[in-house]
Amino acid sequence: MNFQPTRLPEVILLTPRRFGDARGWFTETWNKRTLAQGGIGADFVQDNHSMSAEVGTLRGLHYQAPPHAQDKLVRCTRGAIWDVAVDVRRGSPRYGQWVGVDLTAEGGAQLFVPKGFLHGFVTRTPDCEVQYKCTDYYAPDADGSVAWDSLGIDWGLKAAPVLSDKDRAAPAFGDWTSPFVMEGAA
Ligand SMILES: Cc1cn([C@H]2C[C@H](O)[C@@H](COP(=O)(O)OP(=O)(O)O[C@H]3O[C@H](C)C(=O)[C@H](O)[C@H]3O)O2)c(=O)[nH]c1=O
């Protein structure tokens, strides 16, 4: 497993090793011990899987507020996405900064998005499937969104994105108060 911190050092790109042979390949997509050896001690309790039919479907920017905040381990299992995380921990020197990475079924890379970071993605292929592990259960009352287009993120869109009503109505980043505080911040 290769661990590569992104420009937001808490957001980590993981690339599991694939063992190829004449039949195809095998890979361990998640191994608690391997992640712990890489410094990720997340205790996942729920797996999610979404399918987006159209290219340019944008799901985000989402979070669950404390005490139901979630670490996520995200991978694309069909097609390709541009996966984005935003540091929204009050007191963080990188507050409001974002990072985006390409995740593809073919490449197999995964993104670790810790609590305190917004998460969202846009699909680059039709019939795109994303699977991700979460460290807390779904808590609708703690579920929140921030407008995808309120942070200067380059989503690489060629047209208006396909959005849910929830995401279309999300507050702009500048009109939103983050429920997250950076550990150790005053
Ligand atoms: C997230 C979630 C949703 N649902 C139900 C609630 C709705 O009836 C339906 C669709 O939910 P939503 O529109 O919130 O799904 P996404 O827009 O894909 O949201 C997710 O996409 C972004 C990228 C994320 O990182 C979050 O995990 C999550 O917010 O699934 C559940 O039953 N359990 C769940 O954990």
Side-chain angles (χ1 to χ4, degrees), residues 46-48 50 52 58-64 70 72 74 83 118-121 130 132 134 136-140 143-145 164 166-167:
Q46 179 177 312
D47 276 351
N48 292 340
S50 68
S52 305
L58 196 156
R59 296 178 186 249
L61 292 157
H62 299 164
Y63 65 95
Q64 283 199 171
Q70 298 167 315
K72 295 168 189 168
V74 186
D83 203 42
L118 303 177
H119 177 237
F121 64 83
V130 176
Y132 51 106
C134 303
D136 206 334
Y137 301 104
Y138 179 51
D143 192 46
S145 301
S164 66
K166 176 180 79 172
D167 289 347

PDB file of all heavy atoms in Angstrom, residues 46-48 50 52 58-64 70 72 74 83 118-121 130 132 134 136-140 143-145 164 166-167, ligand 1:
ATOM      1  N   GLN A  46     -19.458   1.613   8.487  1.00  0.00           N
ATOM      2  CA  GLN A  46     -20.496   1.589   7.441  1.00  0.00           C
ATOM      3  C   GLN A  46     -19.850   1.745   6.085  1.00  0.00           C
ATOM      4  O   GLN A  46     -18.940   2.559   5.917  1.00  0.00           O
ATOM      5  CB  GLN A  46     -21.494   2.744   7.669  1.00  0.00           C
ATOM      6  CG  GLN A  46     -22.615   2.836   6.625  1.00  0.00           C
ATOM      7  CD  GLN A  46     -23.609   3.931   6.939  1.00  0.00           C
ATOM      8  OE1 GLN A  46     -24.079   4.031   8.088  1.00  0.00           O
ATOM      9  NE2 GLN A  46     -23.952   4.760   5.955  1.00  0.00           N
ATOM     10  N   ASP A  47     -20.322   0.912   5.128  1.00  0.00           N
ATOM     11  CA  ASP A  47     -19.905   1.022   3.724  1.00  0.00           C
ATOM     12  C   ASP A  47     -21.025   1.664   2.926  1.00  0.00           C
ATOM     13  O   ASP A  47     -22.197   1.306   3.092  1.00  0.00           O
ATOM     14  CB  ASP A  47     -19.620  -0.373   3.128  1.00  0.00           C
ATOM     15  CG  ASP A  47     -18.198  -0.860   3.428  1.00  0.00           C
ATOM     16  OD1 ASP A  47     -17.381  -0.057   3.936  1.00  0.00           O
ATOM     17  OD2 ASP A  47     -17.920  -2.046   3.159  1.00  0.00           O
ATOM     18  N   ASN A  48     -20.665   2.602   2.061  1.00  0.00           N
ATOM     19  CA  ASN A  48     -21.638   3.234   1.165  1.00  0.00           C
ATOM     20  C   ASN A  48     -21.264   2.940  -0.280  1.00  0.00           C
ATOM     21  O   ASN A  48     -20.098   2.727  -0.600  1.00  0.00           O
ATOM     22  CB  ASN A  48     -21.669   4.754   1.387  1.00  0.00           C
ATOM     23  CG  ASN A  48     -22.234   5.119   2.743  1.00  0.00           C
ATOM     24  OD1 ASN A  48     -22.933   4.326   3.381  1.00  0.00           O
ATOM     25  ND2 ASN A  48     -21.933   6.317   3.213  1.00  0.00           N
ATOM     26  N   SER A  50     -22.584   4.423  -4.214  1.00  0.00           N
ATOM     27  CA  SER A  50     -23.526   5.199  -5.027  1.00  0.00           C
ATOM     28  C   SER A  50     -23.213   5.029  -6.504  1.00  0.00           C
ATOM     29  O   SER A  50     -22.067   4.784  -6.881  1.00  0.00           O
ATOM     30  CB  SER A  50     -23.496   6.689  -4.646  1.00  0.00           C
ATOM     31  OG  SER A  50     -22.267   7.307  -5.000  1.00  0.00           O
ATOM     32  N   SER A  52     -23.932   6.983 -10.229  1.00  0.00           N
ATOM     33  CA  SER A  52     -24.393   8.221 -10.876  1.00  0.00           C
ATOM     34  C   SER A  52     -24.428   7.977 -12.377  1.00  0.00           C
ATOM     35  O   SER A  52     -23.398   7.651 -12.971  1.00  0.00           O
ATOM     36  CB  SER A  52     -23.447   9.383 -10.546  1.00  0.00           C
ATOM     37  OG  SER A  52     -23.317   9.533  -9.129  1.00  0.00           O
ATOM     38  N   LEU A  58     -22.548  15.793  -9.719  1.00  0.00           N
ATOM     39  CA  LEU A  58     -21.732  16.310  -8.610  1.00  0.00           C
ATOM     40  C   LEU A  58     -22.467  16.063  -7.306  1.00  0.00           C
ATOM     41  O   LEU A  58     -23.590  16.541  -7.111  1.00  0.00           O
ATOM     42  CB  LEU A  58     -21.458  17.798  -8.816  1.00  0.00           C
ATOM     43  CG  LEU A  58     -20.320  18.430  -7.990  1.00  0.00           C
ATOM     44  CD1 LEU A  58     -19.780  19.686  -8.681  1.00  0.00           C
ATOM     45  CD2 LEU A  58     -20.746  18.745  -6.568  1.00  0.00           C
ATOM     46  N   ARG A  59     -21.835  15.279  -6.432  1.00  0.00           N
ATOM     47  CA  ARG A  59     -22.399  15.009  -5.101  1.00  0.00           C
ATOM     48  C   ARG A  59     -21.500  15.698  -4.081  1.00  0.00           C
ATOM     49  O   ARG A  59     -20.350  15.319  -3.922  1.00  0.00           O
ATOM     50  CB  ARG A  59     -22.452  13.497  -4.845  1.00  0.00           C
ATOM     51  CG  ARG A  59     -23.390  12.738  -5.783  1.00  0.00           C
ATOM     52  CD  ARG A  59     -23.352  11.252  -5.517  1.00  0.00           C
ATOM     53  NE  ARG A  59     -24.132  10.480  -6.472  1.00  0.00           N
ATOM     54  CZ  ARG A  59     -25.260   9.835  -6.166  1.00  0.00           C
ATOM     55  NH1 ARG A  59     -25.749   9.913  -4.915  1.00  0.00           N
ATOM     56  NH2 ARG A  59     -25.916   9.124  -7.072  1.00  0.00           N
ATOM     57  N   GLY A  60     -22.019  16.744  -3.442  1.00  0.00           N
ATOM     58  CA  GLY A  60     -21.189  17.464  -2.468  1.00  0.00           C
ATOM     59  C   GLY A  60     -21.579  18.927  -2.406  1.00  0.00           C
ATOM     60  O   GLY A  60     -22.484  19.364  -3.115  1.00  0.00           O
ATOM     61  N   LEU A  61     -20.907  19.575  -1.569  1.00  0.00           N
ATOM     62  CA  LEU A  61     -19.909  19.221  -0.595  1.00  0.00           C
ATOM     63  C   LEU A  61     -20.618  18.894   0.742  1.00  0.00           C
ATOM     64  O   LEU A  61     -21.379  19.717   1.258  1.00  0.00           O
ATOM     65  CB  LEU A  61     -18.934  20.391  -0.399  1.00  0.00           C
ATOM     66  CG  LEU A  61     -18.043  20.683  -1.603  1.00  0.00           C
ATOM     67  CD1 LEU A  61     -17.550  22.112  -1.589  1.00  0.00           C
ATOM     68  CD2 LEU A  61     -16.872  19.734  -1.639  1.00  0.00           C
ATOM     69  N   HIS A  62     -20.297  17.661   1.215  1.00  0.00           N
ATOM     70  CA  HIS A  62     -21.062  17.138   2.357  1.00  0.00           C
ATOM     71  C   HIS A  62     -20.208  16.911   3.598  1.00  0.00           C
ATOM     72  O   HIS A  62     -19.000  16.749   3.527  1.00  0.00           O
ATOM     73  CB  HIS A  62     -21.717  15.807   1.956  1.00  0.00           C
ATOM     74  CG  HIS A  62     -22.673  15.956   0.824  1.00  0.00           C
ATOM     75  ND1 HIS A  62     -23.130  14.884   0.084  1.00  0.00           N
ATOM     76  CD2 HIS A  62     -23.274  17.047   0.264  1.00  0.00           C
ATOM     77  CE1 HIS A  62     -23.944  15.302  -0.851  1.00  0.00           C
ATOM     78  NE2 HIS A  62     -24.049  16.620  -0.775  1.00  0.00           N
ATOM     79  N   TYR A  63     -20.929  16.829   4.727  1.00  0.00           N
ATOM     80  CA  TYR A  63     -20.316  16.488   6.029  1.00  0.00           C
ATOM     81  C   TYR A  63     -21.407  15.987   6.951  1.00  0.00           C
ATOM     82  O   TYR A  63     -22.600  16.232   6.720  1.00  0.00           O
ATOM     83  CB  TYR A  63     -19.627  17.714   6.653  1.00  0.00           C
ATOM     84  CG  TYR A  63     -20.600  18.819   7.018  1.00  0.00           C
ATOM     85  CD1 TYR A  63     -21.118  18.931   8.317  1.00  0.00           C
ATOM     86  CD2 TYR A  63     -21.030  19.745   6.057  1.00  0.00           C
ATOM     87  CE1 TYR A  63     -22.023  19.928   8.641  1.00  0.00           C
ATOM     88  CE2 TYR A  63     -21.942  20.743   6.382  1.00  0.00           C
ATOM     89  CZ  TYR A  63     -22.432  20.833   7.668  1.00  0.00           C
ATOM     90  OH  TYR A  63     -23.351  21.820   7.976  1.00  0.00           O
ATOM     91  N   GLN A  64     -21.022  15.307   7.991  1.00  0.00           N
ATOM     92  CA  GLN A  64     -21.892  15.048   9.139  1.00  0.00           C
ATOM     93  C   GLN A  64     -21.264  15.780  10.317  1.00  0.00           C
ATOM     94  O   GLN A  64     -20.064  15.637  10.583  1.00  0.00           O
ATOM     95  CB  GLN A  64     -22.065  13.548   9.462  1.00  0.00           C
ATOM     96  CG  GLN A  64     -23.013  12.834   8.523  1.00  0.00           C
ATOM     97  CD  GLN A  64     -23.559  11.516   9.037  1.00  0.00           C
ATOM     98  OE1 GLN A  64     -24.446  10.951   8.450  1.00  0.00           O
ATOM     99  NE2 GLN A  64     -23.032  10.971  10.139  1.00  0.00           N
ATOM    100  N   GLN A  70     -17.644  11.939  10.322  1.00  0.00           N
ATOM    101  CA  GLN A  70     -17.162  10.706   9.693  1.00  0.00           C
ATOM    102  C   GLN A  70     -15.802  10.919   9.026  1.00  0.00           C
ATOM    103  O   GLN A  70     -15.606  11.899   8.306  1.00  0.00           O
ATOM    104  CB  GLN A  70     -18.145  10.251   8.607  1.00  0.00           C
ATOM    105  CG  GLN A  70     -19.540   9.895   9.077  1.00  0.00           C
ATOM    106  CD  GLN A  70     -20.509   9.762   7.904  1.00  0.00           C
ATOM    107  OE1 GLN A  70     -20.518  10.597   7.018  1.00  0.00           O
ATOM    108  NE2 GLN A  70     -21.329   8.703   7.933  1.00  0.00           N
ATOM    109  N   LYS A  72     -13.759   9.202   6.014  1.00  0.00           N
ATOM    110  CA  LYS A  72     -14.195   8.413   4.855  1.00  0.00           C
ATOM    111  C   LYS A  72     -12.985   7.896   4.085  1.00  0.00           C
ATOM    112  O   LYS A  72     -11.958   8.579   3.981  1.00  0.00           O
ATOM    113  CB  LYS A  72     -15.058   9.272   3.920  1.00  0.00           C
ATOM    114  CG  LYS A  72     -16.371   9.713   4.544  1.00  0.00           C
ATOM    115  CD  LYS A  72     -17.061  10.777   3.711  1.00  0.00           C
ATOM    116  CE  LYS A  72     -18.245  11.341   4.483  1.00  0.00           C
ATOM    117  NZ  LYS A  72     -18.780  12.559   3.856  1.00  0.00           N
ATOM    118  N   VAL A  74     -12.539   6.608   0.315  1.00  0.00           N
ATOM    119  CA  VAL A  74     -13.334   6.690  -0.905  1.00  0.00           C
ATOM    120  C   VAL A  74     -12.605   6.025  -2.072  1.00  0.00           C
ATOM    121  O   VAL A  74     -11.393   6.240  -2.248  1.00  0.00           O
ATOM    122  CB  VAL A  74     -13.603   8.169  -1.280  1.00  0.00           C
ATOM    123  CG1 VAL A  74     -14.565   8.268  -2.469  1.00  0.00           C
ATOM    124  CG2 VAL A  74     -14.140   8.948  -0.087  1.00  0.00           C
ATOM    125  N   ASP A  83     -12.309  13.661  -7.051  1.00  0.00           N
ATOM    126  CA  ASP A  83     -12.729  13.610  -5.646  1.00  0.00           C
ATOM    127  C   ASP A  83     -12.108  14.767  -4.899  1.00  0.00           C
ATOM    128  O   ASP A  83     -10.891  15.019  -5.052  1.00  0.00           O
ATOM    129  CB  ASP A  83     -12.296  12.274  -5.027  1.00  0.00           C
ATOM    130  CG  ASP A  83     -13.146  11.901  -3.819  1.00  0.00           C
ATOM    131  OD1 ASP A  83     -14.382  12.089  -3.877  1.00  0.00           O
ATOM    132  OD2 ASP A  83     -12.589  11.451  -2.815  1.00  0.00           O
ATOM    133  N   LEU A 118     -14.912  18.747   4.342  1.00  0.00           N
ATOM    134  CA  LEU A 118     -16.034  18.516   3.429  1.00  0.00           C
ATOM    135  C   LEU A 118     -15.590  17.513   2.379  1.00  0.00           C
ATOM    136  O   LEU A 118     -14.396  17.469   2.016  1.00  0.00           O
ATOM    137  CB  LEU A 118     -16.447  19.808   2.738  1.00  0.00           C
ATOM    138  CG  LEU A 118     -16.837  21.003   3.612  1.00  0.00           C
ATOM    139  CD1 LEU A 118     -17.155  22.214   2.726  1.00  0.00           C
ATOM    140  CD2 LEU A 118     -18.019  20.664   4.505  1.00  0.00           C
ATOM    141  N   HIS A 119     -16.543  16.762   1.851  1.00  0.00           N
ATOM    142  CA  HIS A 119     -16.245  15.786   0.792  1.00  0.00           C
ATOM    143  C   HIS A 119     -17.255  15.931  -0.330  1.00  0.00           C
ATOM    144  O   HIS A 119     -18.448  16.142  -0.074  1.00  0.00           O
ATOM    145  CB  HIS A 119     -16.294  14.354   1.333  1.00  0.00           C
ATOM    146  CG  HIS A 119     -16.064  13.341   0.271  1.00  0.00           C
ATOM    147  ND1 HIS A 119     -16.963  12.344  -0.018  1.00  0.00           N
ATOM    148  CD2 HIS A 119     -15.032  13.192  -0.611  1.00  0.00           C
ATOM    149  CE1 HIS A 119     -16.498  11.618  -1.032  1.00  0.00           C
ATOM    150  NE2 HIS A 119     -15.319  12.102  -1.398  1.00  0.00           N
ATOM    151  N   GLY A 120     -16.734  15.806  -1.553  1.00  0.00           N
ATOM    152  CA  GLY A 120     -17.621  15.792  -2.711  1.00  0.00           C
ATOM    153  C   GLY A 120     -16.879  15.232  -3.910  1.00  0.00           C
ATOM    154  O   GLY A 120     -15.649  15.111  -3.876  1.00  0.00           O
ATOM    155  N   PHE A 121     -17.616  14.841  -4.924  1.00  0.00           N
ATOM    156  CA  PHE A 121     -16.985  14.382  -6.163  1.00  0.00           C
ATOM    157  C   PHE A 121     -17.859  14.718  -7.352  1.00  0.00           C
ATOM    158  O   PHE A 121     -19.067  14.931  -7.204  1.00  0.00           O
ATOM    159  CB  PHE A 121     -16.665  12.871  -6.114  1.00  0.00           C
ATOM    160  CG  PHE A 121     -17.858  11.956  -6.011  1.00  0.00           C
ATOM    161  CD1 PHE A 121     -18.587  11.583  -7.143  1.00  0.00           C
ATOM    162  CD2 PHE A 121     -18.240  11.438  -4.779  1.00  0.00           C
ATOM    163  CE1 PHE A 121     -19.673  10.731  -7.043  1.00  0.00           C
ATOM    164  CE2 PHE A 121     -19.327  10.575  -4.676  1.00  0.00           C
ATOM    165  CZ  PHE A 121     -20.049  10.225  -5.810  1.00  0.00           C
ATOM    166  N   VAL A 130     -19.188   4.703  -6.947  1.00  0.00           N
ATOM    167  CA  VAL A 130     -18.257   5.102  -5.887  1.00  0.00           C
ATOM    168  C   VAL A 130     -18.617   4.322  -4.631  1.00  0.00           C
ATOM    169  O   VAL A 130     -19.799   4.226  -4.267  1.00  0.00           O
ATOM    170  CB  VAL A 130     -18.345   6.614  -5.606  1.00  0.00           C
ATOM    171  CG1 VAL A 130     -17.451   7.017  -4.434  1.00  0.00           C
ATOM    172  CG2 VAL A 130     -17.972   7.407  -6.862  1.00  0.00           C
ATOM    173  N   TYR A 132     -17.458   3.820  -0.488  1.00  0.00           N
ATOM    174  CA  TYR A 132     -16.627   4.422   0.553  1.00  0.00           C
ATOM    175  C   TYR A 132     -17.029   3.952   1.937  1.00  0.00           C
ATOM    176  O   TYR A 132     -18.200   3.686   2.206  1.00  0.00           O
ATOM    177  CB  TYR A 132     -16.632   5.949   0.465  1.00  0.00           C
ATOM    178  CG  TYR A 132     -17.978   6.602   0.389  1.00  0.00           C
ATOM    179  CD1 TYR A 132     -18.507   7.269   1.491  1.00  0.00           C
ATOM    180  CD2 TYR A 132     -18.717   6.584  -0.794  1.00  0.00           C
ATOM    181  CE1 TYR A 132     -19.736   7.886   1.417  1.00  0.00           C
ATOM    182  CE2 TYR A 132     -19.955   7.201  -0.863  1.00  0.00           C
ATOM    183  CZ  TYR A 132     -20.446   7.850   0.235  1.00  0.00           C
ATOM    184  OH  TYR A 132     -21.668   8.464   0.156  1.00  0.00           O
ATOM    185  N   CYS A 134     -17.120   4.547   6.087  1.00  0.00           N
ATOM    186  CA  CYS A 134     -17.328   5.676   7.003  1.00  0.00           C
ATOM    187  C   CYS A 134     -17.124   5.222   8.446  1.00  0.00           C
ATOM    188  O   CYS A 134     -17.410   4.069   8.780  1.00  0.00           O
ATOM    189  CB  CYS A 134     -18.761   6.224   6.873  1.00  0.00           C
ATOM    190  SG  CYS A 134     -19.209   6.746   5.217  1.00  0.00           S
ATOM    191  N   ASP A 136     -18.645   6.606  11.073  1.00  0.00           N
ATOM    192  CA  ASP A 136     -19.845   6.725  11.900  1.00  0.00           C
ATOM    193  C   ASP A 136     -21.050   6.438  11.016  1.00  0.00           C
ATOM    194  O   ASP A 136     -20.969   6.492   9.787  1.00  0.00           O
ATOM    195  CB  ASP A 136     -19.966   8.121  12.544  1.00  0.00           C
ATOM    196  CG  ASP A 136     -20.781   8.067  13.849  1.00  0.00           C
ATOM    197  OD1 ASP A 136     -21.629   7.143  13.985  1.00  0.00           O
ATOM    198  OD2 ASP A 136     -20.566   8.926  14.724  1.00  0.00           O
ATOM    199  N   TYR A 137     -22.151   6.104  11.714  1.00  0.00           N
ATOM    200  CA  TYR A 137     -23.363   5.730  10.989  1.00  0.00           C
ATOM    201  C   TYR A 137     -24.046   6.974  10.426  1.00  0.00           C
ATOM    202  O   TYR A 137     -23.807   8.096  10.896  1.00  0.00           O
ATOM    203  CB  TYR A 137     -24.304   4.965  11.935  1.00  0.00           C
ATOM    204  CG  TYR A 137     -23.681   3.714  12.509  1.00  0.00           C
ATOM    205  CD1 TYR A 137     -23.234   3.694  13.833  1.00  0.00           C
ATOM    206  CD2 TYR A 137     -23.473   2.591  11.720  1.00  0.00           C
ATOM    207  CE1 TYR A 137     -22.630   2.563  14.363  1.00  0.00           C
ATOM    208  CE2 TYR A 137     -22.866   1.454  12.240  1.00  0.00           C
ATOM    209  CZ  TYR A 137     -22.446   1.450  13.552  1.00  0.00           C
ATOM    210  OH  TYR A 137     -21.831   0.332  14.068  1.00  0.00           O
ATOM    211  N   TYR A 138     -24.856   6.750   9.423  1.00  0.00           N
ATOM    212  CA  TYR A 138     -25.647   7.824   8.842  1.00  0.00           C
ATOM    213  C   TYR A 138     -26.513   8.470   9.913  1.00  0.00           C
ATOM    214  O   TYR A 138     -27.208   7.790  10.666  1.00  0.00           O
ATOM    215  CB  TYR A 138     -26.533   7.250   7.738  1.00  0.00           C
ATOM    216  CG  TYR A 138     -27.428   8.245   7.046  1.00  0.00           C
ATOM    217  CD1 TYR A 138     -26.918   9.433   6.526  1.00  0.00           C
ATOM    218  CD2 TYR A 138     -28.788   7.979   6.896  1.00  0.00           C
ATOM    219  CE1 TYR A 138     -27.733  10.343   5.864  1.00  0.00           C
ATOM    220  CE2 TYR A 138     -29.622   8.873   6.238  1.00  0.00           C
ATOM    221  CZ  TYR A 138     -29.082  10.061   5.723  1.00  0.00           C
ATOM    222  OH  TYR A 138     -29.894  10.946   5.062  1.00  0.00           O
ATOM    223  N   ALA A 139     -26.420   9.805   9.993  1.00  0.00           N
ATOM    224  CA  ALA A 139     -27.202  10.549  10.992  1.00  0.00           C
ATOM    225  C   ALA A 139     -27.831  11.735  10.272  1.00  0.00           C
ATOM    226  O   ALA A 139     -27.202  12.805  10.162  1.00  0.00           O
ATOM    227  CB  ALA A 139     -26.302  11.022  12.132  1.00  0.00           C
ATOM    228  N   PRO A 140     -29.032  11.547   9.712  1.00  0.00           N
ATOM    229  CA  PRO A 140     -29.644  12.592   8.873  1.00  0.00           C
ATOM    230  C   PRO A 140     -29.726  13.956   9.550  1.00  0.00           C
ATOM    231  O   PRO A 140     -29.575  14.983   8.910  1.00  0.00           O
ATOM    232  CB  PRO A 140     -31.028  12.036   8.527  1.00  0.00           C
ATOM    233  CG  PRO A 140     -31.120  10.666   9.103  1.00  0.00           C
ATOM    234  CD  PRO A 140     -29.867  10.349   9.821  1.00  0.00           C
ATOM    235  N   ASP A 143     -26.515  15.661   9.059  1.00  0.00           N
ATOM    236  CA  ASP A 143     -26.059  15.735   7.671  1.00  0.00           C
ATOM    237  C   ASP A 143     -26.092  17.182   7.191  1.00  0.00           C
ATOM    238  O   ASP A 143     -27.063  17.903   7.461  1.00  0.00           O
ATOM    239  CB  ASP A 143     -27.029  14.886   6.816  1.00  0.00           C
ATOM    240  CG  ASP A 143     -26.527  14.633   5.406  1.00  0.00           C
ATOM    241  OD1 ASP A 143     -25.350  14.275   5.276  1.00  0.00           O
ATOM    242  OD2 ASP A 143     -27.294  14.834   4.463  1.00  0.00           O
ATOM    243  N   GLY A 144     -25.024  17.626   6.532  1.00  0.00           N
ATOM    244  CA  GLY A 144     -25.001  19.012   6.053  1.00  0.00           C
ATOM    245  C   GLY A 144     -24.293  19.139   4.712  1.00  0.00           C
ATOM    246  O   GLY A 144     -23.570  18.232   4.295  1.00  0.00           O
ATOM    247  N   SER A 145     -24.544  20.270   4.045  1.00  0.00           N
ATOM    248  CA  SER A 145     -23.937  20.540   2.735  1.00  0.00           C
ATOM    249  C   SER A 145     -23.472  21.987   2.657  1.00  0.00           C
ATOM    250  O   SER A 145     -24.033  22.871   3.317  1.00  0.00           O
ATOM    251  CB  SER A 145     -24.979  20.328   1.611  1.00  0.00           C
ATOM    252  OG  SER A 145     -25.473  19.033   1.614  1.00  0.00           O
ATOM    253  N   SER A 164     -28.396  17.167  -6.755  1.00  0.00           N
ATOM    254  CA  SER A 164     -29.620  16.871  -5.996  1.00  0.00           C
ATOM    255  C   SER A 164     -30.239  18.197  -5.552  1.00  0.00           C
ATOM    256  O   SER A 164     -29.564  19.239  -5.508  1.00  0.00           O
ATOM    257  CB  SER A 164     -29.289  16.031  -4.757  1.00  0.00           C
ATOM    258  OG  SER A 164     -28.490  16.795  -3.845  1.00  0.00           O
ATOM    259  N   LYS A 166     -31.024  18.943  -2.629  1.00  0.00           N
ATOM    260  CA  LYS A 166     -30.297  19.314  -1.399  1.00  0.00           C
ATOM    261  C   LYS A 166     -29.041  20.097  -1.758  1.00  0.00           C
ATOM    262  O   LYS A 166     -28.764  21.153  -1.168  1.00  0.00           O
ATOM    263  CB  LYS A 166     -29.932  18.053  -0.617  1.00  0.00           C
ATOM    264  CG  LYS A 166     -29.098  18.300   0.621  1.00  0.00           C
ATOM    265  CD  LYS A 166     -28.757  17.011   1.360  1.00  0.00           C
ATOM    266  CE  LYS A 166     -27.615  16.271   0.685  1.00  0.00           C
ATOM    267  NZ  LYS A 166     -27.126  15.110   1.478  1.00  0.00           N
ATOM    268  N   ASP A 167     -28.289  19.624  -2.715  1.00  0.00           N
ATOM    269  CA  ASP A 167     -27.032  20.281  -3.065  1.00  0.00           C
ATOM    270  C   ASP A 167     -27.288  21.604  -3.779  1.00  0.00           C
ATOM    271  O   ASP A 167     -26.533  22.560  -3.624  1.00  0.00           O
ATOM    272  CB  ASP A 167     -26.164  19.352  -3.911  1.00  0.00           C
ATOM    273  CG  ASP A 167     -25.614  18.196  -3.083  1.00  0.00           C
ATOM    274  OD1 ASP A 167     -25.699  18.267  -1.838  1.00  0.00           O
ATOM    275  OD2 ASP A 167     -25.117  17.221  -3.677  1.00  0.00           O
TER     276      ASP A 167
HETATM  277  C1  LIG B   1     -25.306   9.320   2.891  1.00  0.00           C
HETATM  278  C2  LIG B   1     -26.458   8.394   3.146  1.00  0.00           C
HETATM  279  C3  LIG B   1     -27.665   8.546   2.495  1.00  0.00           C
HETATM  280  N1  LIG B   1     -28.699   7.685   2.745  1.00  0.00           N
HETATM  281  C4  LIG B   1     -29.956   7.878   2.015  1.00  0.00           C
HETATM  282  C5  LIG B   1     -30.601   9.232   2.224  1.00  0.00           C
HETATM  283  C6  LIG B   1     -31.245   9.547   0.897  1.00  0.00           C
HETATM  284  O1  LIG B   1     -32.575   9.011   0.871  1.00  0.00           O
HETATM  285  C7  LIG B   1     -30.395   8.790  -0.125  1.00  0.00           C
HETATM  286  C8  LIG B   1     -29.453   9.688  -0.881  1.00  0.00           C
HETATM  287  O2  LIG B   1     -28.730  10.438   0.067  1.00  0.00           O
HETATM  288  P1  LIG B   1     -27.839  11.687  -0.406  1.00  0.00           P
HETATM  289  O3  LIG B   1     -28.594  12.462  -1.431  1.00  0.00           O
HETATM  290  O4  LIG B   1     -27.389  12.401   0.851  1.00  0.00           O
HETATM  291  O5  LIG B   1     -26.630  10.934  -1.102  1.00  0.00           O
HETATM  292  P2  LIG B   1     -25.294  11.667  -1.663  1.00  0.00           P
HETATM  293  O6  LIG B   1     -25.639  12.967  -2.311  1.00  0.00           O
HETATM  294  O7  LIG B   1     -24.582  10.634  -2.434  1.00  0.00           O
HETATM  295  O8  LIG B   1     -24.495  12.012  -0.330  1.00  0.00           O
HETATM  296  C9  LIG B   1     -23.256  11.423  -0.037  1.00  0.00           C
HETATM  297  O9  LIG B   1     -22.321  11.943  -0.948  1.00  0.00           O
HETATM  298  C10 LIG B   1     -21.165  12.576  -0.459  1.00  0.00           C
HETATM  299  C11 LIG B   1     -20.113  12.535  -1.540  1.00  0.00           C
HETATM  300  C12 LIG B   1     -20.657  12.080   0.831  1.00  0.00           C
HETATM  301  O10 LIG B   1     -19.465  12.110   1.125  1.00  0.00           O
HETATM  302  C13 LIG B   1     -21.625  11.623   1.839  1.00  0.00           C
HETATM  303  O11 LIG B   1     -21.324  10.297   2.249  1.00  0.00           O
HETATM  304  C14 LIG B   1     -23.027  11.676   1.432  1.00  0.00           C
HETATM  305  O12 LIG B   1     -23.487  12.957   1.796  1.00  0.00           O
HETATM  306  O13 LIG B   1     -29.656   7.810   0.623  1.00  0.00           O
HETATM  307  C15 LIG B   1     -28.584   6.644   3.639  1.00  0.00           C
HETATM  308  O14 LIG B   1     -29.534   5.860   3.856  1.00  0.00           O
HETATM  309  N2  LIG B   1     -27.394   6.478   4.309  1.00  0.00           N
HETATM  310  C16 LIG B   1     -26.324   7.314   4.088  1.00  0.00           C
HETATM  311  O15 LIG B   1     -25.249   7.117   4.715  1.00  0.00           O
END
